[in-house]
Amino acid sequence: MPIRTAGLSARARGVFVLAAVLLLAAVGFGVQRAAGGGDAGPGGGAGPAAAPAGPRTADRIVPAPLSATTGSGPGYRLTARTAVRTATGPDAPAQQAQEVRRIAGQLAEALRRPTGLPVEVVADGDAAADGIGLLLDPALPAETGAEGYRLTSDATGVRISARTPEGLYRGTQTLRQLLPPQIEGPAKAADGTEWTVAPVTVEDRPRYAYRGAMLDVARHFFTPAEVKGFIDRLALYKVNHLHLHLTDDQGWRIEIPSRPELTRVGAVSEVDGTPGGFYTAADYQEIVRYAQERYLTVVPEIDLPGHSNAVLASYPELDCTRSARPWPYTGIEVGFSTLCPTGDAVFAFTREVIAEVARLTPGPYLHIGGDEVKTISSAEYAGFVQQVNAQVLAAGKTPVGWNQAAPAGVGVLQYWDGRGGRDVELGQAAERGAKVIMSPSGRSYLDMKYEKSYPLGLVWAGTIDARHAYTWDPDNVLKLPAGSVIGIEAPLWTETLDTPYELDLMLLPRLPALAELGWSPKAALDWDGFKRRLAEEGARWDAAGYAYERRPEVPWPAR
Ligand code: TNX
């Protein structure tokens, strides 16, 4: 087939020719390696022709693993004989063994659809036999941790081992990335697609324990199915917490049976006046379950005492400022609403809400907001937050608050804004032992525009392109005591975002940039290398049907 470069600009032609030269060099190299390897195993086929066609080697993984080496030989080709085999050993608790089989089933299903291969699950089989072995191995080094794993592949198969089912799950996400992008497709791929896993050895574990993304379902409501789609994107990049911002001035989105007005009144609308919505207990639990199956912990947020206009519209007696109550409220101003900071009625209300949300939430955290309260004194604010903090602890959960809650003694603080001495207050809280989740608004806010002229998003914290989202160090945003920062989170506020398509445009490609900061060792972080790996992700999103912004700072291949 002749290579056409006519119609491209001179610069693009140059790039094209260079790329073609590199590609030829790479193919030549691959053939040499395969010929030298000479070991045509079960999946290997005959000789050089079976060399991995695509460039999906160990250096394509996002987030970058702790270490990865591309081996020699043809890699493992999925065939009709490929099975997912689990080995959990005689000492594993039955529940763990069952969980490993569930993960195997999840992987097999994901492989079956695009490949059209049968991909059976063989429980307690031989993890070293032909296929993909999932091996629970408590003897792996302790530093592997709960999320770490080891993945090896060669012509005979792929083996993932980990100390826990969670580690195996993270390893299966890496395996997805070692296959061609069509593996993400919703339907069977074109005949002749080569389902080859490059020969690699990967050792991996995360830098931070907490790697989160937040979805604001209050400003615009997103259905359980839409939230599941959001979770799918996070799981791919090994994000392990989903923070749901469930309440705000514009809407209350979770049913509390003892307080029916919260949803009868407080859920009716959203920003711009379009209809709102809310989650029943069953809806919420379904989201939690779906997240759990992908090893994401849901962190529910009930924003208190500010951002509470929807509560006040539903239960006016909780307002002692007696301010005029706009309802339905469809604008995007902040800071004008607060619950009464004192009195039995308000704390009975918070206790009931916290008890119900805690009951529905298996994860350890319950986020109590605490941001942008402008209409009460700081003493009233601190007194209120302390009481609510105690209620969350009494409900068996760990309270999390936005960084304004630092002086009130909340144990886990989410840093977003250091203005007005908030950075100093947060530093003091960290000195007293508070843990910090880093969400600096100028770097990690996925609702900030990529550039000033971008049609979606806000600009109050600046503009954030993919490079800006990637080039910062969570440990050095503030000078905090060593070990204070437990991770990072990327919040997606939805004042300007109303559809899953719009969420995708803001999320991709910045989510993987932030996910890599949370997961990968500091030494592996390098924008020039990352942007090339990121560019390869585009084809996966195309296959999956995910929208994304083809930002100029990323060298996307032509579609
Ligand atoms: C600040 S971050 C807020 C949110 C807005 C967001 C918009 C934080 C704790 N508060 O209420 O939605 O900015 O970017």
Side-chain angles (χ1 to χ4, degrees):
M1 198 182 82
I3 295 175
R4 289 179 201 280
T5 58
L8 297 177
S9 71
R11 189 162 158 271
R13 252 198 316 272
V15 170
F16 191 89
V17 169
L18 180 65
V21 168
L22 290 175
L23 183 68
L24 288 174
V27 168
F29 182 64
V31 168
Q32 250 177 16
R33 286 286 205 97
D39 168 16
R56 299 213 71 83
T57 50
D59 56 6
R60 300 296 161 146
I61 302 166
V62 180
L66 184 61
S67 79
T69 24
T70 303
S72 56
Y76 178 66
R77 196 163 60 87
L78 272 51
T79 69
R81 291 190 308 280
T82 299
V84 179
R85 300 171 187 278
T86 65
T88 50
D91 300 330
Q95 205 200 338
Q96 274 207 347
Q98 194 190 333
E99 180 59 5
V100 174
R101 287 196 290 274
R102 187 193 64 75
I103 294 167
Q106 212 173 2
L107 173 64
E109 197 188 314
L111 298 177
R112 256 177 234 138
R113 211 181 349 121
T115 63
L117 297 170
V119 198
E120 271 179 67
V121 174
V122 183
D124 293 319
D126 175 2
D130 181 15
I132 300 163
L134 301 185
L135 171 69
L136 206 54
D137 182 4
L140 282 174
E143 63 266 23
T144 309
E147 291 190 275
Y149 66 91
R150 175 182 291 165
L151 183 152
T152 58
S153 60
D154 58 27
T156 67
V158 179
R159 276 147 227 107
I160 305 175
S161 52
R163 290 166 64 95
T164 67
E166 181 173 10
L168 291 176
Y169 180 80
R170 303 285 176 233
T172 63
Q173 300 311 300
T174 297
L175 173 58
R176 281 169 81 174
Q177 296 200 334
L178 293 170
L179 283 159
Q182 296 92 313
I183 201 69
E184 303 301 335
K188 190 171 174 305
D191 286 344
T193 307
E194 280 278 318
W195 302 107
T196 304
V197 182
V200 295
T201 301
V202 176
E203 302 272 353
D204 206 4
R205 59 173 186 263
R207 177 177 177 191
Y208 293 109
Y210 189 107
R211 306 175 309 280
M214 189 206 81
L215 182 61
D216 171 8
V217 295
R219 270 53 175 272
H220 279 103
F221 180 68
F222 293 88
T223 64
E226 291 166 346
V227 176
K228 288 180 183 177
F230 191 74
I231 291 170
D232 290 340
R233 287 139 176 85
L234 306 185
L236 194 48
Y237 298 106
K238 303 189 174 84
V239 171
N240 67 356
H241 288 81
L242 170 66
H243 171 181
L244 287 177
H245 184 75
L246 290 167
T247 71
D248 214 300
D249 291 319
Q250 298 84 351
W252 181 281
R253 308 296 179 204
I254 185 161
E255 183 176 37
I256 306 292
S258 68
R259 299 284 173 158
E261 302 298 292
L262 286 174
T263 39
R264 199 186 65 78
V265 175
V268 290
S269 65
E270 56 181 19
V271 169
D272 296 334
T274 30
F278 66 91
Y279 307 124
T280 62
D283 290 336
Y284 178 78
Q285 285 175 308
E286 172 64 13
I287 292 170
V288 167
R289 187 194 58 76
Y290 191 87
Q292 269 178 331
E293 287 181 354
R294 287 150 186 81
Y295 285 91
L296 278 102
T297 300
V298 171
V299 181
E301 179 186 352
I302 304 296
D303 202 348
L304 300 165
H307 290 269
S308 53
N309 183 61
V311 180
L312 303 176
S314 310
Y315 292 97
E317 64 271 25
L318 299 176
D319 181 8
C320 49
T321 68
R322 290 184 183 47
S323 47
R325 189 58 43 219
W327 194 256
Y329 179 61
T330 61
I332 66 169
E333 288 308 307
V334 296
F336 63 89
S337 59
T338 179
L339 298 185
C340 195
T342 54
D344 294 345
V346 75
F347 293 113
F349 170 80
T350 56
R351 190 180 310 105
E352 282 168 37
V353 169
I354 286 165
E356 174 66 0
V357 174
R359 184 181 76 79
L360 298 175
T361 303
Y365 298 119
L366 202 159
H367 201 305
I368 55 176
D371 56 318
E372 298 176 316
V373 184
K374 299 184 179 161
T375 55
I376 54 177
S377 73
S378 41
E380 286 173 320
Y381 170 83
F384 177 93
V385 173
Q386 279 158 8
Q387 290 234 32
V388 170
N389 189 61
Q391 290 179 340
V392 173
L393 290 169
K397 298 295 174 190
T398 301
V400 186
W402 294 106
N403 63 246
Q404 282 96 332
V410 175
V412 181
L413 295 160
Q414 187 168 2
Y415 174 77
W416 66 284
D417 179 20
R419 289 172 298 183
R422 305 277 189 217
D423 50 350
V424 176
E425 289 173 357
L426 183 69
Q428 289 162 346
E431 294 288 348
R432 294 192 298 268
K435 298 296 178 206
V436 177
I437 297 163
M438 274 293 159
S439 301
S441 47
R443 296 286 190 168
S444 72
Y445 268 33
L446 294 170
D447 64 317
M448 291 300 120
K449 291 177 185 286
Y450 289 97
E451 60 189 32
K452 278 215 176 85
S453 62
Y454 194 70
L456 300 170
L458 304 173
V459 288
W460 69 265
T463 56
I464 305 179
D465 65 14
R467 182 180 208 274
H468 196 64
Y470 185 77
T471 48
W472 59 284
D473 180 4
D475 272 345
N476 286 310
V477 175
L478 302 175
K479 288 275 159 274
L480 300 175
S484 308
V485 174
I486 58 170
I488 82 170
E489 188 178 289
L492 184 45
W493 302 98
T494 58
E495 285 94 334
T496 66
L497 310 170
D498 193 15
T499 63
Y501 171 76
E502 292 170 344
L503 297 183
D504 268 353
L505 291 178
M506 300 308 263
L507 198 64
L508 304 174
R510 292 181 292 191
L511 171 78
L514 293 156
E516 178 148 312
L517 292 187
W519 178 280
S520 304
K522 201 168 161 174
L525 303 177
D526 157 49
W527 167 252
D528 286 325
F530 176 69
K531 74 180 179 193
R532 282 189 283 275
R533 281 182 290 123
L534 187 57
E536 297 290 328
E537 293 301 283
R540 302 165 61 77
W541 302 331
D542 286 331
Y546 299 168
Y548 61 102
E549 202 47 66
R550 284 175 71 91
R551 294 289 311 159
E553 64 272 18
V554 181
W556 309 104
R559 291 203 250 226

